[in-house]
């Protein structure tokens, strides 16, 4: 619409031409029907205007030959034909409700309420309001339909939706969002009652005695057709066991990770204890399914034999010392309490934990004493004496009043009973001869064999023995002897190239992924590997004092993520213990590379050369920066040497630069190194980090400093003695490394061979002596003297 135009004489014009322009470019557009051509009125309606921003003008005309001046352009007009987009969420929730797509699940057992927040978005005219309709269908719900237009632009919060206790109805709600242009977006929500717990949740585990030091729990995860599963948790209750009877059970507590994989192998069990398990699966509304089992798992490594309790996890336990020579392999734990030392590991290998005179070892010794007393106090079923070569024993308590001897093969026959129990009471020393054997047949197992020895035990070289040795004295295993069981002594334990594991079967294997040492810039690295242990078996990873646990997955993989690690090289030990207690382990080096903090040279940064007791040059030395000396001596050789910067000879500027050099030197010296450098740097490649050597440092040939594409990578070398390069030695900068980010903090003198090419800032407490034609991209800063000969120092 526009005002009527007239001529100066007062006569009216005969028509008008309407023009539309693009707001952004002011390009003329084609005007659409009813506003096209000559308009005789002072208004028209343009239909079908495309989406966008436009401006209009009107030009008066008379006949076909006269045209007046075009009017100024109108204010911008937005044509918006695109519907807005609804983004609806629950808010102000009481009771239990959750939104899953366009469905709202509510727990109708108890009352509740919520509002709907519609964050309307619109790229054209902008959000205007959100409208909620009256609910359709079902009883138990209340809601007042409303249109909410505040705050301007949204988000728009509806009036409350509420349901009464016991509501089970399904209702429909229509939410309509509008933009300013009047375009609408409709979203239909369905409210569905979900008061049912997940289904199909199960838990199962063996009933009765478990001779292995574990309980395998099989889980049925269950499903939920409503709001969906929110969490799964395995729980455990325990009781001590006396004479095969369980005492009072504790309350259930969480076990293992949330959402455990099935089967879950519970290795955190204690010998001589009873366990019950339950599995809790909860949906997103708090409905919970609790799966239980009437089974009771009784962890008893002896199946009625003397309970070992905490001592059950030990392959070797000593009281006055543990000594080893050669390549002994211990698959379980190694412990010592209360005196002496553990020596010989390495070269010996311990698959489990090593507890050296700590609380765990002390408790194991207490439990050893109880087990020894239990075995010694049992009533014998028969008596034997002499050499047991060729003898066969059946289940029972076998007593020997004298020393025990076996010079050949001794057989233990289980008679088909896998729980057949063998207890040997030996009231003197025990000395199986070299090459002797104890053979298990017809179901007999090493876990059910006990040797209670009231004296020292000496197993001959290359002998084989099965069972747990409970010795009231020392235990000595001859060279190459094999023990399928445990060596538990109240004296010392001595080993030599032995194999000690709980079963004849090999321990599980475990690997840590990565060819060679692991190098990472991630300070919370994820460490992965594989194992042939049963799925659900716990893998334990130890690194930098952290103990990380996870479960072996069905495909044999495992993965843990370490907490924050500082820069440096750490030893990663991954171990997996099977149900019998055998422990497999793997070790790998993990280097965490962290770019060091920037180095401040302050006033010393402008100097190519700074000396403390003198600066001497011969030949055509060239310095790109400043030259300084403080506090004593003289500067000689300039000219013929050339200084592109300023020369400060024992003035205030040089004194301040020296003070700043001392500060920078001390700050670099205080930094913790991430790696150790030994001897010659030649042929080596370094990434960003701080590297330290306590001996003299040398460079023959080429050393490469690789920034790996990071121009901020900083390289710091700390030397506690001298640093010397051979003739024609080179420091090569690769991967974007900059000489400005390389620092050599050296306590001793620095000397270069002729034609050496150096990079970085040298900070030394002693003298610097550059060989003929040395080139340095950096700085030579010394608290002593600096000597040069045809030296070129360029800007780092």
């Amino acid at each position: 619409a526009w005002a009527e135009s007239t001529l100066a004489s007062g006569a009216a014009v005969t028509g008008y031409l309407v023009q539309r322009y693009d707001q952004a470019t002011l390009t003329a557009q084609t005007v659409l029907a009813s506003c096209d051509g000559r308009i005789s009125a002072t208004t028209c309606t343009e239909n079908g205007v495309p989406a966008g921003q436009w401006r209009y003008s009107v030009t008066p005309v008379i006949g076909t030959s006269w045209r007046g001046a075009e009017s100024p352009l109108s204010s911008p007009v937005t044509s918006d034909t695109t519907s807005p987009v609804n983004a609806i969420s629950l808010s102000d929730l009481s009771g239990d409700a959750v939104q899953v797509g366009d469905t709202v699940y509510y727990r109708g057992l108890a009352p509740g309420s919520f509002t709907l927040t519609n964050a309307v978005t619109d790229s054209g005219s902008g959000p205007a309001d959100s409208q909620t309709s009256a609910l359709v269908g079902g009883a138990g719900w209340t809601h007042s339909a409303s249109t909410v237009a505040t705050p301007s632009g949204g988000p728009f919060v509806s009036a409350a939706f509420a349901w009464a206790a016991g509501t089970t109805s399904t209702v429909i709600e229509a939410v309509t969002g509008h933009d300013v242009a009047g375009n609408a977006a409709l979203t239909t929500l369905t409210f569905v009652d979900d008061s049912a717990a997940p289904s199909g949740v199960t838990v199962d585990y063996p009933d009765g005695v478990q001779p292995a030091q574990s309980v395998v729990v099989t889980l049925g995860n269950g499903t939920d057709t409503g709001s969906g599963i929110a969490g799964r948790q395995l729980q455990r209750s325990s009781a001590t066991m006396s004479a095969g009877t369980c005492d009072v059970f504790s309350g259930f507590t969480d076990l293992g990770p949330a959402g455990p994989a099935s089967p879950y192998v519970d290795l955190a069990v204690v010998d001589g204890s009873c366990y019950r398990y339950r599995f809790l699966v909860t949906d997103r509304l708090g409905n919970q399914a609790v799966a239980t089992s009437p089974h009771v798992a009784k962890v008893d490594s002896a199946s009625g034999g003397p309970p070992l309790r905490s001592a059950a996890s030990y392959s070797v336990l000593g009281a006055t010392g543990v000594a080893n020579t050669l390549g002994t392999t211990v698959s379980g734990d190694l412990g010592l309490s209360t005196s002496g030392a553990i020596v010989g590991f390495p070269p010996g290998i311990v698959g489990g934990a090593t507890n050296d005179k700590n609380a765990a070892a002390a408790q194991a010794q207490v439990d050893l004493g109880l087990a020894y007393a239990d075995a010694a106090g049992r009533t014998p079923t028969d008596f034997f004496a002499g050499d047991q070569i060729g003898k066969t024993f059946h289940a029972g308590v076998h007593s020997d009043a004298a020393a025990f001897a076996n010079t050949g093969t001794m057989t233990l026959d289980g008679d088909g009973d896998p729980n057949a129990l063998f207890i040997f009471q030996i009231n003197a020393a025990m000395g199986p001869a070299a090459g002797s054997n104890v053979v298990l047949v017809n179901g007999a197992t090493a876990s059910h064999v006990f040797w209670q020895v009231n004296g020292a035990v000496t197993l001959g070289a290359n002998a084989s023995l099965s069972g747990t040795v409970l010795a009231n004295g020392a235990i000595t295993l001859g060279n190459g002897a094999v023990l399928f069981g445990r060596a538990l002594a109240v004296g010392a334990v001595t080993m030599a190239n032995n194999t000690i594991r709980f079963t004849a079967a090999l321990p599980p294997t475990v690997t840590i992924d990565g060819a060679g040492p692991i190098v990472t810039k991630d300070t919370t690295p994820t460490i992965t590997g594989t194992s042939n242990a049963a799925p659900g078996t716990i893998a334990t990873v130890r690194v930098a004092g952290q103990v990380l646990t996870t479960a072996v997955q069905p495909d044999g993989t495992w993965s843990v993520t370490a907490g924050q690690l500082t820069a440096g090289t750490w030893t990663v030990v991954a171990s997996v213990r099977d149900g019998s207690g055998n422990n497999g382990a793997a070790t790998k080096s993990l280097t965490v590379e962290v770019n060091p903090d920037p180095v401040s040279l302050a006033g010393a940064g402008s100097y190519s050369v700074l000396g403390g007791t003198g600066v001497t040059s011969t030949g055509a030395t060239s310095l790109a920066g400043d030259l300084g000396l403080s506090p004593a001596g003289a500067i000689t050789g300039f000219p013929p040497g050339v200084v592109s910067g300023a020369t400060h000879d024992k003035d205030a500027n040089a004194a301040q630069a020296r003070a700043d050099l001392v500060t920078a030197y001390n700050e670099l010296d205080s930094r913790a190194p991430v790696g150790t450098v030994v001897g010659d740097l030649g042929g080596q490649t370094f990434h960003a980090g701080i590297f330290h050597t306590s001996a003299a440092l040398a460079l023959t040939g080429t050393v490469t400093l690789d920034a790996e594409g990071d121009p901020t990578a900083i390289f710091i070398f700390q030397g506690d003695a001298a640093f010397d390069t051979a003739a024609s030695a080179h420091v090569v900068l690769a991967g974007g490394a900059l000489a400005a980010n390389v620092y050599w903090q050296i306590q001793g003198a620095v000397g270069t061979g002729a034609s050496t090419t150096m990079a970085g800032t040298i900070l030394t407490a002693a003298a610097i002596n550059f060989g003929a034609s040395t080139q340095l991209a950096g700085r030579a800063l010394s608290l002593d003297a600096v000597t040069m000969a045809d030296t070129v120092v360029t800007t780092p």
Side-chain angles (χ1 to χ4, degrees), residues 205-208 210 212-217 235-241 246-253 255 266-278 293-300 309-310:
Y205 49 94
D207 191 29
Q210 307 299 304
Q213 297 300 293
S214 64
V215 178
V216 179
V217 185
Q235 293 187 328
R236 184 182 72 180
S237 172
S238 63
T240 57
M241 184 169 57
C246 302
D247 295 333
V248 178
F249 277 88
S250 67
F252 281 95
T253 57
L255 174 67
D266 183 8
L267 295 174
V269 295
V270 177
D271 194 49
S273 299
C274 301
Y275 296 96
R276 290 173 175 163
Y277 299 85
R278 69 181 185 184
S293 170
H295 294 171
V296 175
K298 299 179 178 180
V299 178
D300 183 2
R309 298 181 175 85
S310 68

Side-chain angles (χ1 to χ4, degrees), residues 331-440:
S331 68
D333 295 344
L334 172 67
L336 174 64
S337 179
T338 57
S339 64
I342 298 175
V343 295
F345 294 91
I349 298 172
V350 180
T354 298
N355 293 310
D356 189 357
K357 298 184 289 293
N358 59 12
Q363 183 59 53
Q365 275 289 347
V366 171
D367 292 336
L368 165 58
L370 294 174
Y372 180 93
D374 181 292
R378 300 207 178 191
T379 302
T381 57
D382 63 76
F383 297 88
F384 67 99
D387 191 344
Q388 303 307 305
I389 182 173
K391 301 290 182 65
T392 296
F393 289 82
H394 300 275
V397 179
H398 312 287
S399 185
D400 181 5
F404 173 88
N406 175 29
T407 59
T409 297
M410 172 182 173
T411 302
L412 307 185
D413 188 345
D415 296 306
D417 181 4
N419 293 319
L421 177 65
F422 301 82
I423 298 177
F424 292 89
Q425 299 170 331
I426 301 169
N427 292 307
M430 178 179 178
S436 64
N437 294 282
V438 173
V439 177
L440 307 179

